Amino acid sequence: MWTPTSERVAAANLSRFIEFVQRRGEPGVVDFPRLYAFSIDAPERFWPAVWEFCEIHASRRWQELVDDPSRMPGARWFEGARLNFAENLLRHRDDQPALIFCGEDGTRRTLSGAELYREVARLAAALAGDGIEPGDRIAGFLPNGPEAVIAMLAATSLGAVWSSCSPDFGVNGVVDRFGQIEPKVLFAADGYFYGGKRFDSLERVGRIVERIPGIERVVVAPFTGADISVENIANGVEWVAYVGDHDGDSIEFAHLPFAHPLYVMYSSGTTGIPKCIVHGAGGTLIQHLKEQVLHTDLGRGDRIFYFTTCGWMMWNWLVSALATGATVVLYDGNPFYPGPDAMFDLIDEIGITVFGTSAKFIAAAEKAGVRPAQTHSLETLRTVLSTGSPLAPESFDYVYREVKKDVALCSISGGTDIISCFALGNPLLPVYRGELQCRGLGMKVEVLNEQGEPVRGQTGELACTMAFPSMPVGFWNDPDDAKYRAAYFEQHPGVWCHGDFALLTEHEGLIIFGRSDATLNPGGVRIGTAEIYRQVEKLEEVLESIAVGQQHDGDERVILFVRLREGVTLSEELIERIRRTIREHTSPRHVPAKVLEVTDIPRTRSGKIVELAVRNVIHGRPVKNTDALANPDALDQFRDRPELAAP
């Protein structure tokens, strides 16, 4: 669908990196396929090349790169190195914009590299004055604004461990997460905006603090312009008062081991209390730089945006772009407010060069009839990134037809589990319809059949068969790694099984068909749910859908729930058209036994639909942790449906 020009290929960071690797004694690495082979065949030479090319700052060099890359989990990387994550992100201390914040309400704020450093230095001094030390936990219950970035950098500059979630979480959802890691300091805001409305945060903050007794300090940042009162919040203090008269001249960065904990991330929590996934500073840094500098072609003049909240790993990924010298564009609010083309307005206003979003957003923009190629310049836009769920082939068509013809559309896939990606974009390669361009450098990604054998051109389990630096340090309160091993390594010991149903294509790209734990299995044939969604959502009448398997008559049958456009009814004619579309473009096995209407589909707070929760509900099983859902009431529409009892 798109091929980079020779000029773009020549100017790409990845082309310069290939030349860099050649000069380091690898003359046979002349193109991306050979570079990828080198990266997995010789990790002891590849990862140091990434370190040097991306100019990672460290006070001490490593003594051993990796003890045993075949050991999963447990491989130790860059042993002996000492570094600080925040120091690497704050390396550009000049007048170029480091952060541009755009609020839904029209607020705009810009911080230069020098200003960001000063604000971090002042807050770090305040935290140090509160006795914060390496290993202490600092939590953020914050909108996606500058204060979240400043607080994270101040905490990690001292070697503290950062964890955050967005302010739309309920009290139980926050306590389920932060209560496990017992933060000493909680950063919060007075409230946030969404869809043109102001929402208060402080009432929930007070209740959260009551339930997490280890919180010694609550720092409240202004965000909505409302008067702040911390009287009802134990140990509460306003941000300005907390920072006080601390100067911003310098930061004493704590230089710590490569694997020192940096972030605690959380599993979705839809099947129980969220798992606390601990990520190391060095692994996160080198992996993000590899992905941003090499795969995303990010550099000093770029302005990178990703629509995310502080509760999704893409926030952590986005903020790492500060290390590249690019300007990070933050947005908080509804991406369709005040109209469906709001994000495209932002691209033109700010001059965004790399625009990141979700597959859901792209599909919704198409359904809303947004045609930015006709209404916007988008002159600066060079790359579109999409993740969160598989990007349908029809969404590729939409981007190139209605957004911009000359743009690199990079569908990427990974997860909170690795705080990064297994499959990525590539500035040297063409974009094929419906495919993720390539496997990530240094990531030995394979598709395994049910016997655990690597296959090509066949669907199977997405797996990684060699260790990589951004694997979790471990899970919180899991001293013998039992939870960690159970999460990824039980299916095939010594192999990371990611839980995605995938196919490796003839172009060495990937197609993701959805979560393998939500795979449908009618008549013993494995079907990825995304295969059904791609067909159903072609229909003008259908806004979105969710497919689950129902145990029935000794087999499994496919049940499809659809959310329709306003004014559309689920007639027999429409049901037949849905079934015919699925049958003609997939197979008879994909055709749902039942097509039922709902007005809402349950999803996590990062926007992913939750097939497993729906499957549990239709079978009368409990959903263990509805606080993890953005809209838990939606589950009621799937419960006790008489149609599901019928043949």
Side-chain angles (χ1 to χ4, degrees):
M1 302 200 77
W2 177 84
T3 302
T5 63
S6 56
E7 293 82 8
R8 186 161 177 171
V9 168
N13 293 332
L14 194 49
S15 294
R16 291 194 299 109
F17 182 67
I18 288 172
E19 295 171 359
F20 180 77
V21 169
Q22 290 172 349
R23 292 195 300 271
R24 288 170 64 95
E26 305 293 339
V29 177
V30 296
D31 55 19
F32 183 79
R34 291 177 178 85
L35 177 63
Y36 177 74
F38 164 69
S39 75
I40 59 175
D41 292 340
E44 73 284 354
R45 298 199 297 278
F46 167 74
W47 289 107
V50 174
W51 181 295
E52 300 292 343
F53 187 80
C54 295
E55 299 179 343
I56 289 177
H57 294 185
S59 60
R60 189 189 305 170
R61 195 174 173 83
W62 63 91
Q63 296 161 340
E64 181 180 37
L65 181 84
V66 59
D67 57 347
D68 183 0
S70 68
R71 188 168 74 241
M72 288 212 294
R76 293 191 296 273
W77 294 86
F78 294 92
E79 286 284 283
R82 293 291 184 275
L83 55 78
N84 183 273
F85 181 82
E87 183 177 25
N88 277 273
L89 270 59
L90 291 168
R91 64 176 76 172
H92 301 285
R93 305 167 192 173
D94 54 22
D95 293 332
Q96 179 171 310
L99 295 178
I100 298 176
F101 168 67
C102 305
E104 180 196 271
D105 64 335
T107 299
R108 299 292 184 265
R109 290 170 60 193
T110 299
L111 286 173
S112 69
E115 290 169 333
L116 178 60
Y117 181 88
R118 283 196 294 272
E119 292 303 315
V120 173
R122 296 178 68 207
L123 186 57
L127 288 170
D130 254 352
I132 297 301
E133 298 178 342
D136 288 341
R137 277 77 63 205
I138 308 292
F141 182 55
L142 291 163
N144 182 23
E147 287 77 17
V149 178
I150 293 165
M152 181 278 287
L153 291 170
T156 57
S157 74
L158 302 174
V161 184
W162 175 260
S163 190
S164 60
C165 62
S166 54
D168 57 343
F169 272 65
V171 172
N172 288 340
V174 177
V175 173
D176 284 347
R177 288 159 174 77
F178 296 163
Q180 295 186 68
I181 65 169
E182 301 175 301
K184 283 190 174 181
V185 179
L186 175 67
F187 285 91
D190 61 310
Y192 62 97
F193 295 103
Y194 195 86
K197 298 178 181 177
R198 180 191 179 276
F199 294 86
D200 176 74
S201 295
L202 295 185
E203 187 272 336
R204 279 172 295 141
V205 170
R207 290 159 58 200
I208 289 164
V209 175
E210 289 174 358
R211 292 178 56 184
I212 307 178
I215 295 175
E216 299 173 359
R217 182 79 72 178
V218 181
V219 183
V220 179
F223 190 80
T224 67
D227 291 335
I228 296 176
S229 173
V230 295
E231 291 180 4
N232 297 321
I233 299 173
N235 305 314
V237 60
E238 293 183 42
W239 180 293
V240 172
Y242 186 64
V243 172
D245 57 1
H246 289 291
D247 68 56
D249 295 341
S250 64
I251 304 171
E252 290 197 24
F253 294 101
H255 291 101
L256 298 157
F258 185 85
H260 180 78
L262 170 75
Y263 291 135
V264 176
M265 310 294 291
Y266 302 95
S267 65
S268 61
T270 54
T271 58
I273 297 296
K275 300 180 186 70
C276 302
I277 306 168
V278 184
H279 288 290
T284 301
L285 178 65
I286 196 169
Q287 182 81 329
H288 285 182
L289 283 173
K290 179 206 74 178
E291 294 183 346
Q292 293 171 349
V293 173
L294 303 183
H295 285 276
T296 313
D297 201 29
L298 204 59
R300 194 81 169 100
D302 280 306
R303 292 189 167 187
I304 180 171
F305 167 95
Y306 218 105
F307 180 77
T308 182
T309 71
C310 296
W312 189 22
M313 60 140 294
M314 292 311 300
W315 181 84
N316 307 75
W317 189 91
L318 172 66
V319 175
S320 288
L322 290 168
T324 71
T327 299
V328 171
V329 181
L330 307 172
Y331 177 84
D332 197 78
N334 185 332
F336 287 96
Y337 183 85
D341 54 0
M343 293 297 95
F344 299 103
D345 292 343
L346 201 63
I347 292 171
D348 280 349
E349 177 193 342
I350 304 297
I352 291 166
T353 59
V354 179
F355 176 81
T357 187
S358 64
K360 176 192 168 190
F361 171 86
I362 294 173
E366 181 179 14
K367 290 284 184 182
V370 180
R371 296 178 154 186
Q374 299 181 18
T375 55
H376 292 70
S377 165
L378 306 185
E379 181 181 359
T380 60
L381 183 62
R382 191 181 77 243
T383 300
V384 173
L385 305 176
S386 171
T387 192
S389 58
L391 185 65
E394 292 73 25
S395 289
F396 281 74
D397 299 337
Y398 167 72
V399 169
Y400 284 108
R401 183 183 68 246
E402 305 291 0
V403 179
K404 189 173 185 178
K405 287 184 169 63
D406 184 20
V407 70
L409 175 57
C410 304
S411 179
I412 63 178
S413 181
T416 297
D417 323 73
I418 62 169
I419 204 167
S420 57
C421 300
F422 284 123
L424 291 144
N426 190 311
L428 310 186
L429 300 179
V431 172
Y432 290 93
R433 184 175 186 264
E435 294 187 20
L436 291 74
Q437 281 178 288
C438 67
R439 293 170 284 181
L441 290 166
M443 312 292 278
K444 193 174 182 180
V445 174
E446 300 186 88
V447 174
L448 306 181
N449 62 19
E450 291 184 358
Q451 290 72 46
E453 302 162 336
V455 293
R456 289 172 181 263
Q458 300 176 36
T459 54
E461 181 80 24
L462 183 70
C464 194
T465 58
M466 186 176 74
F468 49 95
S470 69
M471 290 173 65
V473 173
F475 286 5
W476 196 260
N477 289 331
D478 185 27
D480 58 357
D481 284 341
K483 295 177 186 176
Y484 183 17
R485 291 178 184 277
Y488 312 110
F489 301 102
E490 282 192 346
Q491 188 172 348
H492 300 292
V495 171
W496 179 294
C497 290
H498 194 56
D500 280 340
F501 195 45
L503 179 144
L504 190 58
T505 73
E506 61 182 317
H507 310 116
E508 294 294 314
L510 280 167
I511 298 175
I512 307 289
F513 296 101
R515 296 293 296 169
S516 57
D517 52 9
T519 299
L520 307 170
N521 200 31
V525 178
R526 297 181 80 200
I527 293 171
T529 52
E531 298 175 82
I532 294 175
Y533 303 151
R534 286 169 184 162
Q535 306 310 319
V536 177
E537 291 168 20
K538 288 179 183 177
L539 300 175
E540 186 68 21
E541 296 90 339
V542 181
L543 291 174
E544 60 180 346
S545 59
I546 186 168
V548 297
Q550 182 194 21
Q551 297 303 312
H552 180 76
D553 199 22
D555 195 1
E556 182 175 279
R557 63 179 182 177
V558 178
I559 307 297
L560 178 69
F561 298 92
V562 293
R563 185 168 75 88
L564 303 176
R565 281 189 183 278
E566 188 174 350
V568 175
T569 58
L570 187 62
S571 64
E572 287 299 323
E573 185 275 332
L574 179 55
I575 290 173
E576 180 51 38
R577 195 143 46 88
I578 290 170
R579 286 175 164 154
R580 186 170 62 248
T581 300
I582 294 170
R583 183 183 296 109
E584 289 176 354
H585 295 281
T586 54
S587 79
R589 291 283 187 188
H590 291 71
V591 178
K594 301 278 184 180
V595 180
L596 305 175
E597 184 178 357
V598 291
T599 60
D600 199 8
I601 289 175
R603 58 185 73 252
T604 66
R605 294 180 184 277
S606 60
K608 297 179 183 179
I609 62 174
V610 284
E611 289 114 332
L612 290 179
V614 171
R615 191 168 72 189
N616 284 341
V617 166
I618 70 168
H619 287 101
R621 297 192 290 261
V623 178
K624 295 181 181 178
N625 192 4
T626 56
D627 287 317
L629 301 179
N631 53 340
D633 291 345
L635 288 173
D636 294 339
Q637 298 189 51
F638 300 84
R639 190 172 283 114
D640 300 325
R641 298 282 298 245
E643 305 97 328
L644 296 178

